[in-house]
Amino acid sequence: MKFLFLRTLKKYSTLLLTGILFLNFACEDDDHDDHAHAHDAGHTDAEGFVLKDGSPGNPVVYKQFMGAVTVNTLNVVVGDEKPLMVVFLDDDEAEIQHDDDEHETEESVLQVTVTSGAEFATVAVHEHDETGSTTEEEHEMMIEITGISAGTTTFTLALMHGDHADYQSTVDVTFTVE
């Protein structure tokens, strides 16, 4: 009888200990996920981007995803200004919606750096209006390319969040000024 009692006690003790360990690790994972979620709040997890023309239908004129350029029909005429909408892509190549209201204390800022051919074109971030108007266009990230003279220009694109980049283009964007 004594051995039967000890065997039963051993089974239940093992089961109880296993349950306690399982719940303990499950709670730690939840805490870790909450911490990671809080740390990532306001950050954009982009894997690429597209540049869309402002003409009807907003056609994609340039696409870079995970370092591969799959669309490049970006051309500018000398003397023209070409506004382009910048849309970042997630790891499924779906568009990430940019909304200033979702950011906590630091807003994401678009940064453009001309890497070659600055004598042929300028590339600048087009700032959106902060006047309180509610049109959707004002919350879009835009760049503006201005053709100066015939030639080829390249630039990089980065989405800055505070003092670090949430995303940086891995390949220079190349376009021709005609």
Side-chain angles (χ1 to χ4, degrees):
M1 179 78 166
K2 184 177 179 183
F3 292 114
L4 183 59
F5 175 74
L6 289 176
R7 251 191 258 153
T8 306
L9 183 62
K10 184 177 177 182
K11 272 190 216 177
Y12 287 119
S13 296
T14 303
L15 182 60
L16 181 63
L17 181 60
T18 303
I20 290 171
L21 288 174
F22 176 74
L23 289 174
N24 185 36
F25 287 120
C27 290
E28 284 182 19
D29 288 343
D30 287 345
D31 291 343
H32 177 69
D33 290 344
D34 289 343
H35 175 70
H37 178 70
H39 175 70
D40 290 340
H43 292 267
T44 303
D45 187 20
E47 296 295 332
F49 67 96
V50 294
L51 299 177
K52 293 184 174 185
D53 193 342
S55 62
N58 292 335
V60 173
V61 294
Y62 184 90
K63 180 178 181 181
Q64 188 178 123
F65 181 71
M66 293 189 170
V69 176
T70 56
V71 176
N72 190 0
T73 57
L74 184 55
N75 297 308
V76 180
V77 176
V78 172
D80 280 355
E81 293 177 353
K82 185 175 202 94
L84 297 169
M85 182 173 29
V86 180
V87 181
F88 291 94
L89 305 173
D90 66 14
D91 56 354
D92 293 325
E93 288 187 74
E95 293 184 3
I96 299 171
Q97 298 301 317
H98 170 73
D99 185 7
D100 288 338
D101 296 334
E102 290 180 6
H103 299 288
E104 290 181 354
T105 57
E106 297 177 4
E107 181 178 330
S108 295
V109 177
L110 196 58
Q111 180 180 324
V112 174
T113 305
V114 175
T115 54
S116 71
E119 66 273 18
F120 304 119
T122 62
V123 183
V125 174
H126 182 73
E127 300 295 330
H128 60 75
D129 187 12
E130 296 283 344
T131 62
S133 179
T134 59
T135 61
E136 181 179 320
E137 185 175 339
E138 293 170 356
H139 292 288
E140 295 173 343
M141 292 189 165
M142 304 281 294
I143 61 171
E144 188 170 81
I145 299 173
T146 304
I148 299 172
S149 64
T152 302
T153 301
T154 62
F155 67 92
T156 60
L157 193 66
L159 183 63
M160 301 301 292
H161 187 242
D163 61 352
H164 67 278
D166 279 354
Y167 175 80
Q168 289 182 303
S169 55
T170 54
V171 177
D172 286 359
V173 177
T174 302
F175 66 94
T176 303
V177 180
E178 303 168 338

